[in-house]
Structures are given as C-alpha cells and as structure tokens.
Amino acid sequence: MLAQVVVDVPTRQTNQPYTYAIPEELRQYVVVGMRVVVPFGQGARKVQGFVVGLLITDLNGFDGELKAISQILDLYPIVNAELLKLSDWLANWTFSFRISVLQAMLPNVMRAKYTRYLQLVDEVDDEILYGIFHGQERIIFDENTLTATSLAQLAKLRRNKQVVVTYEVTSKAKVKTESGIQTSLSFEQLEDIKLGLRANAKQQNKLLSYLQTLEPGEVVSQHQLRDRLALSNAVINTAVRQGWASKQPIEIYRQPSKTIVQPDQPKVLHSQQAKALQKIKAASGTPTTFLLEGVTGSGKTEVYLQAIDYELQHGKTALMLVPEISLTPQMMHRVKQRFGTKVAVLHSGLSAGERFDEWRRIERREATVVIGARSAIFAPLENIGIIIMDEEHEASYKQDENPRYHARDVAKWRSAYYNAPLILGSATPSLESRARAQKGVYQLLMLTERINQQALPEVKLIDLRQKIMHAKEQSVADELLVAIKERMAQHEQSVLLLNRRGFSSFVMCRDCGLVVQCPNCDIGLTLHMDTKTLKCHYCGHEEAIPTQCPNCRSKAIKYYGTGTQKVEIELQTLLPTARVIRMDLDTTSKKGAHEKLLKAFGNHEADILLGTQMIAKGLDFPDVTLVGVLNADTGLGIPDFRASERTFQLLTQVAGRAGRADKPGTVFIQTYNPTHYAIKMAQAHDYEKFYRYEMQIRHLAKYAPYYFTIKIQASHADERTAALMMTKIGQWLRQRLTAEVTILGPTPRSIARIKNRFYYQIILKYQNVPIVEQVMQELQLIAQANSRNGMQLIIDREPLNFM
C-alpha cells in the first residue's frame, strides 16, 4: 500500500501529493487525513505531511525505490474527508498552496515543530568538535551559537560524511492533564484492608469505601476525590504508598471562560422574525443562502438561535461566525445561555492550549455548536445543519495573509457540501450580498422594526466647520458634552466612537514642518502617552518622544490630531466625575480584556465607553441612550472605492447601540462633511437609498459588485527591483489578457514602504473572462520562481483593501 502525501514545503512543485511507501509496521495505522513525517529532498531532511490519499496498487512504470513514511504524528485523522476536499478547492480559489490551506485549518499548536540535530557518524578526535559536542553523539544544531571556525570544520566533516544533519519533527500540541486515582484491587481485597485498619482511621476507611464503588479501570480526579470526600492529600498519598491505589494522568480541557452562564429560554418572536424563521426552517436540508437584513435591534440574534435549535433537534450541528473578538463575549454568552455545554468557542483571543482543547471537543463531537471569528469557518464539525455569518459585511472576514480567503466563500462551499442553509445577517449588508439578493441568488429576509417597537435613535449632525472648538483643541463638541452630562444625571450610559487609537495622529515641528516618521515605513509615528513613546501601527517600531526636532533642532514640537488616549484625558478634565472605559488595541491586548471591560461597562462601573471600531457593532446594553461619533470623516478620505460604504456602515452600526431597550436613544455625529451622501443617509437610517445611490457610482466606475477584481502585489527590499518586476508583469498581463480586462497600474501602494519593503500593485477588473483564471495560475508559477530572489508576489482575489 502507498500513501499520497502533501508535504510541508509551500512551493508550486510540492502543491501536488508525493507518493510514499508505508512500512509494514505502520500499514494498519496510516489513514487519509492523518499527519505523518516523511523524508524529503536530499540528505536527511524530514518534514511533516498530510496523507490525502491511499493507493492499493504499485505505481505503473516506476522502477525506482520509493521513500517510506518515517513516523505518524496522529493516531487518527485530524482532517476529515470534507475538509480535505475543501483544502483542494480553496488552494485553487485563492491561488495558494494546499499545504498552506491545510495548516490554516488547524490550531497553531498542531503545526509541526522542526528541530535540526548534528549527528556524529564516526568518532572524531578534535578539540573543536569536543567543544561543540561535549562528548555527546547528537546535539541541536544552532549555527548562531557556533564560531566561524567551528562552522568551517563542521562543513568539512559533513563533506567527508563524518557528521550529518538530521531533522526531527514533533507536534507542539500538548494535552493538559491532572492527577487521577484508580485501584487494581477487588472489592474483597479492599474490604480486607478496611478490616485491618485502626478504629480511628476514619478518612482512610472513607477512601477505601469509595474505591470499592469504582468500576474496574475507572480513574477519578484526585482533586474531585479530595473535595467530594473532604480528604487531605496526605490520606490519598498514603493509599498510593500502601499499594491500595495508583496515580494515573487524566486528560482535562482548558476552559476559555470561567463565567457562570444562567440558562435562558427562547423568546416570543414578532411577526417579521417568525416569518423569517419559518422560511429558514423550510429550507432545512438545502444549500439556500439567506440575506437577513434587519435594522439594529430588530432581533436577528434570536432568529439565529431558534434556527440553530431547530437543526440541533434534528440531529445536526451548527456553525456561527462573528467578525471580531470584541463581539464574541456577548454573543458567546447568549449562545451558551441557550445551548450550554454544547457550545465551543474558537477565536484568536484564546490561548494556544484553550484553542487546541476547544478544537478537540468539536472533533470528538462533544460540542455541536461552534461560535467564533473568521478561522472558525474551518471547525471540524460534521453533519452541519446551518451556518450563520453575523455582520456579514465586515472586512475582518477576509484573511490578509496566505491563504487569502473570505469566510463567506468558504461558508458557501460548506453549505453546498452539507446541503445546509447559510444565513448572512447584517443591518448594513455589503453591496455584493445585497445585489445577489436583488437578483434572487440569495433569498432576502427583511426585519424593518425593532423588537420593542422602539423608534430608531434620532441622529443629529454637528458641523465641525462652524465650531470654534478647534481653537481650544476640544475633541468633544459642547452639544455632545451637555448630552453626556444629562445621561449621567439620569444614570444612563454613553458610547463614544473615535476610529483612531493612541494620543495624537502625529508629532510635527512647527518651525520646519518635519513630521516624525517611522524609519521602516512611509507613515508618521503615533503618540502614546501611557508609555511616553511614539509607535508605528504597521511594523511595531517604538521610540521616545523627541524633545527637539531631529531636523532643525528646534524645541517647537507639537502634537496634532486626536486619538482615544487624548480624548480620555480630555473627558477626565471636562467631566471630572465621569467614569470612562477605553477600548482600543492598547487596552484590549491582554487575554480576556474584551470580556472584562464589557462586563464592567454592563455592570455600570462606567458612564462612558470610549473606543475604536470594535465598539461600533454587536454590543447590546439597555442603558446606553447616547452615542457620539467624534469624527465621521476618518474613513472618507481613504483612496479606496469602498470608503463611502464603510463610513455608512460604521455610522449606522454605532448609531444602533443607542436606545435598544425601553429608553429612547440619541446620536451625535461630528463631521466636516455634513452634506456627504454617506453621512446624510446614515443620519436617516436609509440603507435602501444608500444602496441605490452607491450602486450607480460602482456601475460607472466598473467596480464590485458589477465587476470582479484581483490585486497583484509585489514587494522587495529594493524599490527599483519591485517597480521593475511589476512593470514586467504589467507588460506580460497585457499580452496575455484580452481587452475585456481593465488593467490598472502598476502603481506604488498608498503606503509604499512597510517594514523596509517597497510595494507596487496592479488591479484587474473584469466580468466573465475565463482566461483570467488560467493566467493567474501561470502567474503563480512566476511568483514561485522569483521568491528565491527576495521578491514576494501576491495574488489576492476580491481584495477588500486596495491600500
């Protein structure tokens, strides 16, 4: 029997499986979907691979000797048949390598760890080598710890085959265990021991009586045994020393959340919710895609939960995606209230061990409902009955690194595989999804009313052009300040959105005009007062705040712009009694920070929640009656055709945080562009009007959803090399593609240099031109050929970011 293995070497040449012999001793264990270690290439190099197929017969026409699998890393397949098929499709769809897709499907801890060793073949009498090996036959090979003389000597010995370099592949996944107790003695043997105890040995008698109740081979947790019988560790240890019991490790799961969840019951649906749910139920067992378009507070989540419950009752499983970690605590809480221990959570905020344990619970079918962020779309669920994407318009559903997939595309594939309905939910659907619903590709379900019949919040615009607040450098307009004070007096809460973290946008010298730049990127550094440093939000560079200009030596250094830190300090000055919680990437970087801050706000430990985009959607607090957007124009100036759509979505979503319960809500939007159509239509809560207007613009500009787009991007440490490569690619594309394809570029990226690499890009716009797929596959070969020269070439289908 032979195995077809996709090896952990992401190149075009290895994108197809290699054939390996299966040693006799492993034949009964090797199955499709399992990870194995195989020799690859010249020498003793060994790599991880995935078994994607088995061959019963030998290869026709091959008379050489096949290399054999060295070892297995799993005792069972960790990638099921469905996910193997998905990996093949997704690799082609995203112009990626299949091994990259397979790795993306697994928790990080299940990716292979490679260790290089130096192995002595013959005894070598050499002082230098003795200083390296210290009398051992094998050591870890780390060239950074060896001198040039030692490396030269080793190279010579390797050529003479006296020293070899070997590779060992191990899995980083570790199972958490705790101490357990079991006994191999019979009931009668334990009874004899009890009869021989002293009369005052009550605790030992209690322990022996409990051991008599265990089934043969049963292991009970030591701490549970200790707590249940009120025993001391000394009593248990004595029993082990006496041979009455033995200690055995018990596998346990790490718990992502220690919060105790109180179960709840399904809510009574209003007519629109009930109608939507009925249509979803009627589509059970079919790959129907629904677009659930509902205004903020219309009860989309309750429709999700009851649709999930319907599938669980029919023996199916359910997968629910949310766009960001910040949304997961509240949504996870609601899902766990409804479905309890059936729920598993997957997102990057979990520790590696917690994610591994949640993955194993799903794979072992101990969890039948999965909720998580983008990568949860690969959860190893089987028999999926329904897939849900909440806030489907969010850009965070698109992966920025290989494989560059959109979770919606993967969800549609899995929906078709399992004949399971897919629900795309949003108050502000992406234009692509709304257009598909308009054409009947998706079924459109509308929720136009809030569940409590409460009106959508009144939205007031504050024209910053008319304000003198600029002169006093105040970030919060007086009208908004008055409204916050009123809410505080009524013990109500406010949410303030500023789509920018840090203290100021940039630091500039008022004498010569120098803006302090990142040395690695073409971007100004951002001031962070909590650490008294300037930081780059692209590469992480950090430096001290200058006291004088590095260019002209002037001390006229001034901070310009506004960030969340600066607004927090202003609020403390303007509203000294206000309690403020700030949520941005700086305050939520620690594990569990999102949940902790939102719980504190929900418990009324703060009057104001100040934050970036992460607070704009999904949050549901009954006492939030005021929302303030401190600068609605942040995203309008971005050179991207989706800028207006994103601004409209952000404003509509954050406005929906106000007045979600019985109290009416009010929204203030501060803007320099009060007449811009995205802002005016967000003020009116008019998605349909915005959709029609924006679609006209997209049609004229030949952009999505009327046209498909592909972004081709090259980067290199040398700007001229990157520019030259993209010029050649542009010429090659114009020779290969027809006039039906619009080719824009090559041009530098908006931020041309990041992490000391220069970026140039080309944009393709096309409709139904089949040759584009073939040309992109050929371009992937070119990308592979140039990767050895330090060139990185990326092909991104339907990019959400053109910057």
Side-chain angles (χ1 to χ4, degrees):
M1 183 179 288
L2 306 175
Q4 292 183 297
V5 180
V6 174
V7 295
D8 186 12
V9 182
T11 65
R12 185 68 180 180
Q13 291 76 17
T14 60
N15 210 31
Q16 297 300 316
Y18 283 70
T19 303
Y20 285 88
I22 304 176
E24 186 67 35
E25 65 273 15
L26 295 180
R27 286 190 179 179
Q28 61 178 318
Y29 303 110
V30 174
V31 293
V32 173
M34 177 183 287
R35 294 177 304 161
V36 294
V37 177
V38 294
F40 184 79
Q42 300 297 318
R45 182 184 184 187
K46 291 184 179 179
V47 299
Q48 175 186 267
F50 288 79
V51 178
V52 297
L54 296 175
L55 299 175
I56 304 300
T57 58
D58 292 337
L59 296 176
N60 293 328
F62 180 77
D63 56 0
E65 184 178 350
L66 285 175
K67 294 180 179 179
I69 292 174
S70 302
Q71 69 182 88
I72 57 175
L73 289 177
D74 309 298
L75 298 179
Y76 56 89
I78 62 166
V79 182
N80 62 34
E82 179 236 344
L83 292 178
L84 280 175
K85 289 181 180 178
L86 172 60
S87 70
D88 197 19
W89 169 81
L90 192 57
N92 288 317
W93 181 251
T94 59
F95 311 110
S96 303
F97 301 114
R98 193 175 181 189
I99 187 63
S100 302
V101 176
L102 287 166
Q103 296 282 29
M105 290 177 169
L106 300 178
N108 285 335
V109 294
M110 296 189 73
R111 298 179 185 179
K113 177 183 178 182
Y114 294 94
T115 307
R116 287 191 304 166
Y117 289 95
L118 279 173
Q119 177 87 41
L120 278 173
V121 178
D122 295 321
E123 289 188 13
V124 181
D125 185 16
D126 191 285
E127 291 184 6
I128 295 178
L129 280 180
Y130 186 82
I132 297 172
F133 284 88
H134 301 291
Q136 302 177 62
E137 291 186 0
R138 190 178 80 153
I139 62 168
I140 294 176
F141 180 22
D142 182 2
E143 60 266 37
N144 295 319
T145 63
L146 299 174
T147 65
T149 304
S150 298
L151 286 170
Q153 182 75 357
L154 286 170
K156 178 181 178 182
L157 291 170
R158 188 182 179 191
R159 285 195 299 272
N160 295 335
K161 298 184 179 179
Q162 293 174 285
V163 170
V164 295
V165 178
T166 61
Y167 291 78
E168 191 170 290
V169 185
T170 56
S171 176
K172 295 184 285 184
K174 301 297 181 184
V175 173
K176 186 177 182 180
T177 60
E178 66 178 9
S179 184
I181 301 296
Q182 72 171 171
T183 183
S184 60
L185 303 181
S186 66
F187 183 95
E188 291 75 15
Q189 289 172 314
L190 291 169
E191 189 66 26
D192 290 342
I193 296 171
K194 286 168 62 178
L195 292 174
L197 292 175
R198 299 190 312 273
N200 63 348
K202 295 179 180 179
Q203 285 204 329
Q204 291 181 349
N205 199 305
K206 189 191 299 184
L207 173 59
L208 289 167
S209 295
Y210 183 81
L211 292 176
Q212 287 178 307
T213 67
L214 299 180
E215 297 291 333
E218 183 180 352
V219 184
V220 63
S221 162
Q222 180 173 332
H223 88 265
Q224 289 180 358
L225 181 63
R226 185 184 62 227
D227 296 344
R228 187 179 302 163
L229 302 180
L231 299 176
S232 66
N233 283 326
V235 172
I236 297 172
N237 292 334
T238 298
V240 172
R241 282 199 307 273
Q242 295 292 338
W244 306 340
S246 62
K247 289 191 177 184
Q248 298 292 334
I250 299 178
E251 180 182 338
I252 60 172
Y253 291 127
R254 304 162 181 89
Q255 297 298 322
S257 176
K258 305 296 189 295
T259 305
I260 298 174
V261 177
Q262 298 299 325
D264 78 342
Q265 297 300 317
K267 309 292 189 297
V268 177
L269 303 181
H270 62 63
S271 59
Q272 289 184 333
Q273 285 177 304
K275 185 178 179 181
L277 180 62
Q278 192 57 42
K279 288 187 176 181
I280 294 167
K281 287 181 178 180
S284 180
T286 69
T288 306
T289 300
F290 294 96
L291 178 61
L292 182 60
E293 182 184 326
V295 297
T296 54
S298 59
K300 294 186 291 294
T301 302
E302 186 62 30
V303 175
Y304 301 154
L305 295 177
Q306 295 197 25
I308 290 172
D309 188 48
Y310 179 80
E311 296 299 338
L312 294 182
Q313 289 178 24
H314 287 79
K316 302 289 187 71
T317 62
L319 175 57
M320 182 176 184
L321 300 182
V322 294
E324 294 184 30
I325 301 171
S326 58
L327 293 183
T328 305
Q330 277 202 321
M331 187 64 83
M332 180 188 70
H333 187 80
R334 289 199 62 181
V335 175
K336 282 197 168 185
Q337 278 184 312
R338 193 65 55 87
F339 304 113
T341 56
K342 297 177 184 177
V343 180
V345 182
L346 290 175
H347 59 73
S348 59
L350 304 181
S351 69
E354 288 169 348
R355 193 175 177 88
F356 176 52
D357 285 354
E358 289 292 89
W359 184 90
R360 286 189 300 139
R361 286 183 61 224
I362 302 163
E363 188 269 336
R364 293 172 173 179
R365 304 180 186 177
E366 296 171 15
T368 53
V369 179
V370 174
I371 178 171
R374 179 182 61 236
S375 61
I377 192 59
F378 299 120
L381 282 170
E382 295 183 349
N383 198 24
I384 296 175
I386 193 165
I387 303 174
I388 296 164
M389 281 185 66
D390 190 33
E391 310 293 358
E392 69 86 30
H393 64 277
E394 278 295 320
S396 58
Y397 281 127
K398 178 69 186 287
Q399 169 84 351
D400 288 333
E401 298 175 351
N402 272 332
R404 288 175 169 78
Y405 66 91
H406 196 296
R408 183 173 54 228
D409 296 326
V410 182
K412 284 157 67 174
W413 191 97
R414 298 194 78 179
S415 164
Y417 185 90
Y418 284 107
N419 286 314
L422 167 62
I423 305 175
L424 307 175
S426 177
T428 55
S430 63
L431 264 67
E432 292 87 340
S433 292
R434 186 63 175 79
R436 290 187 179 107
Q438 196 80 12
K439 286 185 174 182
V441 179
Y442 300 164
Q443 278 197 41
L444 182 61
L445 305 175
M446 299 288 290
L447 303 179
T448 60
E449 300 173 353
R450 285 188 155 185
I451 52 175
N452 55 7
Q453 306 303 311
Q454 187 72 260
L456 289 167
E458 179 187 8
V459 180
K460 302 177 180 179
L461 300 184
I462 298 176
D463 187 351
L464 295 181
R465 298 173 304 178
Q466 307 300 322
K467 296 294 173 183
I468 58 170
M469 56 181 283
H470 308 68
K472 55 184 179 182
E473 297 184 0
Q474 185 174 307
S475 303
V476 185
D478 292 334
E479 298 99 310
L480 183 51
L481 278 175
V482 170
I484 294 172
K485 291 177 183 177
E486 291 174 354
R487 299 313 187 276
M488 290 173 60
Q490 297 166 11
H491 303 289
E492 295 172 359
Q493 294 174 296
S494 304
V495 169
L496 298 181
L497 170 73
L498 179 64
N499 197 20
R500 181 179 294 143
R501 63 189 172 112
F503 189 88
S504 295
S505 298
F506 58 94
V507 174
M508 187 177 78
C509 173
R510 285 176 292 181
D511 285 349
C512 71
L514 174 77
V515 174
V516 181
Q517 297 279 111
C518 173
N520 309 314
C521 312
D522 289 339
I523 194 78
L525 294 173
T526 301
L527 174 65
H528 288 253
M529 287 301 290
D530 54 350
T531 57
K532 301 292 191 297
T533 58
L534 297 175
K535 294 181 183 179
C536 176
H537 291 171
Y538 285 85
C539 72
H541 171 80
E542 187 172 342
E543 62 184 59
I545 302 170
T547 55
Q548 64 179 18
C549 175
N551 180 49
C552 68
R553 301 301 174 187
S554 166
K555 295 187 180 295
I557 299 291
K558 186 172 177 59
Y559 313 140
Y560 291 88
T562 302
T564 45
Q565 275 185 277
K566 187 174 183 180
V567 174
E568 182 182 24
I569 293 172
E570 284 184 16
L571 289 170
Q572 290 168 352
T573 302
L574 297 168
L575 302 169
T577 61
R579 299 166 299 165
V580 181
I581 288 178
R582 175 165 60 91
M583 277 189 74
D584 55 26
L585 285 177
D586 297 319
T587 62
T588 58
S589 58
K590 292 184 179 178
K591 177 176 163 46
H594 292 91
E595 187 172 5
K596 182 180 178 182
L597 293 174
L598 291 177
K599 184 179 179 181
F601 188 66
N603 291 337
H604 271 266
E605 295 174 25
D607 307 295
I608 301 170
L609 178 64
L610 167 67
T612 53
Q613 274 196 48
M614 63 178 65
I615 67 167
K617 47 201 169 284
L619 305 184
D620 191 351
F621 296 104
D623 288 324
V624 171
T625 57
L626 177 67
V627 166
V629 180
L630 302 187
N631 189 343
D633 314 306
T634 306
L636 283 177
I638 294 174
D640 194 304
F641 74 88
R642 288 190 175 93
S644 296
E645 180 184 8
R646 287 178 180 152
T647 297
F648 175 85
Q649 289 168 340
L650 182 65
L651 296 180
T652 302
Q653 291 286 341
V654 74
R657 302 313 106 205
R660 295 177 68 88
D662 299 328
K663 303 170 185 176
T666 305
V667 180
F668 286 88
I669 296 178
Q670 300 181 174
T671 175
Y672 292 96
N673 295 280
T675 60
H676 192 284
Y677 69 94
I679 293 175
K680 293 295 290 183
M681 292 172 192
Q683 180 187 21
H685 304 283
D686 197 340
Y687 174 83
E688 297 303 318
K689 186 176 181 180
F690 174 80
Y691 167 73
R692 292 190 298 271
Y693 189 90
E694 185 71 12
M695 286 288 281
Q696 292 175 6
I697 296 174
R698 299 285 182 89
H699 187 265
L700 291 171
K702 296 183 178 181
Y703 275 114
Y706 292 101
Y707 279 71
F708 299 113
T709 55
I710 290 178
K711 179 171 73 174
I712 303 163
Q713 182 175 273
S715 70
H716 197 276
D718 177 63
E719 183 176 13
R720 186 176 180 277
T721 303
L724 185 61
M725 170 57 73
M726 287 306 280
T727 300
K728 290 179 179 179
I729 289 174
Q731 293 169 348
W732 180 81
L733 288 171
R734 287 179 171 88
Q735 293 170 359
R736 300 284 285 112
L737 296 174
T738 65
E740 298 170 283
V741 181
T742 301
I743 302 175
L744 303 178
T747 59
R749 245 173 57 162
S750 296
I751 302 174
R753 182 174 61 109
I754 296 177
K755 297 181 181 179
N756 283 324
R757 293 187 69 88
F758 294 88
Y759 290 83
Y760 279 74
Q761 64 188 32
I762 290 173
I763 305 296
L764 304 184
K765 297 194 294 184
Y766 62 100
Q767 289 183 306
N768 294 315
V769 186
I771 196 175
V772 171
E773 296 291 325
Q774 177 187 333
V775 171
M776 291 303 101
Q777 296 295 342
E778 293 175 13
L779 185 59
Q780 195 181 12
L781 284 173
I782 296 174
Q784 178 60 37
N786 284 274
S787 61
R788 301 189 189 101
N789 305 322
M791 179 71 68
Q792 291 179 0
L793 191 63
I794 293 166
I795 306 170
D796 190 2
R797 186 193 295 271
E798 299 303 324
L800 295 185
N801 182 5
F802 286 83
M803 293 180 62

